Amino acid sequence: MRVIRKYANRRLYDTEQSRYVTLEDLRGLILDEVPFRVEDAKSGEDLTRTILLSIIIEQEQADGDAQVFSNDLLAQFIRVYDMAQPLPLARYLEQGTKLMLEQQKRVQDQWQQAMRHSPIELMRELAEENMKFWQKTINQAGSPDDDDKGSGTP
């Protein structure tokens, strides 16, 4: 597991690559499914969750059209924390998100498969086969051995 150290000046240091990184760099690790742990440089305290939340906040602010968390949803999350018996929300969200991502990947795979067998792709494949056939036929017709065939002369 890759270790990222967070210093008092709020900078993040990737111990594996020996360089400072940004939240965007960490987002890239997440997208590449590289496991990492963010720890406080002095105390060793695990800060991964806080950094992940910071990445989400940065994404939410960066693209106003693609917000995942509405104000109402965030308010509801806050209310869940205040319940006497909090709902098992984390597990529900984890399982639901995992299922959604798996289904999205499956749909994308099926779409790519369908595109490979689309009418346009089929026509392209047929055109390539026809081209190969005619090239082979023309090459055979132009060879000296084929001049006498079919003429009826010995």
Side-chain angles (χ1 to χ4, degrees), residues 50-84:
T50 303
I51 295 299
L52 294 174
L53 288 168
S54 296
I55 292 170
I56 290 171
I57 289 168
E58 193 172 270
Q59 280 190 255
E60 285 284 311
Q61 292 173 341
D63 189 358
D65 294 335
Q67 290 180 345
V68 174
F69 299 106
S70 69
N71 290 343
D72 288 339
L73 180 59
L74 291 171
Q76 290 172 13
F77 283 159
I78 292 168
R79 288 184 196 105
V80 167
Y81 283 99
D82 200 41
M83 296 175 79

Side-chain angles (χ1 to χ4, degrees), residues 56-113:
I56 290 171
I57 289 168
E58 193 172 270
Q59 280 190 255
E60 285 284 311
Q61 292 173 341
D63 189 358
D65 294 335
Q67 290 180 345
V68 174
F69 299 106
S70 69
N71 290 343
D72 288 339
L73 180 59
L74 291 171
Q76 290 172 13
F77 283 159
I78 292 168
R79 288 184 196 105
V80 167
Y81 283 99
D82 200 41
M83 296 175 79
Q85 291 279 322
L87 300 171
L89 187 61
R91 183 179 169 139
Y92 175 76
L93 288 174
E94 285 174 10
Q95 295 299 320
T97 303
K98 182 178 178 182
L99 177 63
M100 181 187 70
L101 290 172
E102 287 172 359
Q103 288 176 343
Q104 179 68 22
K105 178 154 178 34
R106 197 172 312 128
V107 166
Q108 286 175 339
D109 291 345
Q110 289 173 348
W111 180 252
Q112 288 176 346
Q113 187 74 6

Side-chain angles (χ1 to χ4, degrees), residues 129-140:
E129 288 177 23
N130 285 339
M131 184 63 79
K132 287 177 187 174
F133 170 79
W134 288 112
Q135 285 174 339
K136 183 178 175 185
T137 302
I138 290 170
N139 288 341
Q140 287 177 351

